[in-house]
Amino acid sequence: MRYFGAITITLAALFIGISKAREERMKTQLLRELCSLLEIMKNEICTNKTPINRVFSMQNLNSFRYVKPFAESIKTEINTIGDRRFCDIWCDCVNEKLSTLPEKSMSALLALGNCLGRYDAEMQKKSIERCMADIQAEHESAESSLKNNEKMYIGLGGGAGAIIALMLI
C-alpha cells in the first residue's frame, strides 16, 4: 500500500510540473496569436479602410485557438457600440479574456484600445504596430524562457515527487 501512495505522489508532482510547462506553452501561443490578430486588424484598417466595428465581424476566427474567446467577445459586444464606446468594449474584453498575459502586454493592449476607432487609419496603424512590437518582444522572451524552463518544470515536478515518495517509503 505504501508503494501505491509513493507512486501516486510521484505522478501527482509530475503532473504539476507538466501543467506548469503546458501553461507556459499556452501563454507563448497566445502571444503569437495576438500578433497575428493585430496584423490582420492593421491590414483591414489601413489597407482596406474597414471601419473598426466591421473588422471583427468579417474575420474568420477558426485558425485561432487561444485568442478566439477574446475576438468572439469583441464580435458579440460590438453590437452594443451605440451604447458603449469601442475603446470601453476593447478594454473590458482585454481585462476579461486576456488576464493571463504579462503586464506589459496588457498595458500595450489597453493603450491600443484607447486609439482604435477614434483616430484616422494612419494613427491606428502606428498604435497597432507599437502594440505588436511590445507583444512580439514578450513573445520572444516567453519563447526563450519556455525553451529553457520547460524540461526543468517537468523534471522538478517528477524529481520532487520521487524524493517525497522515497521519504515516505
Side-chain angles (χ1 to χ4, degrees), residues 140-153:
E140 290 169 3
S141 173
E143 187 78 27
S144 67
S145 174
L146 178 66
K147 287 178 184 174
N148 294 334
N149 297 333
E150 185 175 30
K151 291 178 184 175
M152 179 193 67
Y153 292 135

Side-chain angles (χ1 to χ4, degrees), residues 43-62:
N43 291 336
E44 285 293 330
I45 291 169
C46 298
T47 307
N48 298 337
K49 304 292 186 210
T50 306
I52 194 68
N53 61 341
R54 290 193 36 224
V55 169
F56 285 93
S57 62
M58 296 171 57
Q59 288 190 19
N60 182 3
L61 303 172
N62 292 332

Side-chain angles (χ1 to χ4, degrees), residues 3 11 23 32 62-63 66 76 78 81 101 124 141 159 166:
Y3 293 114
L11 290 176
E23 178 183 313
R32 182 181 311 128
N62 292 332
S63 62
Y66 300 107
T76 303
I78 212 154
I81 207 161
L101 286 176
Q124 291 182 59
S141 173
L166 287 173

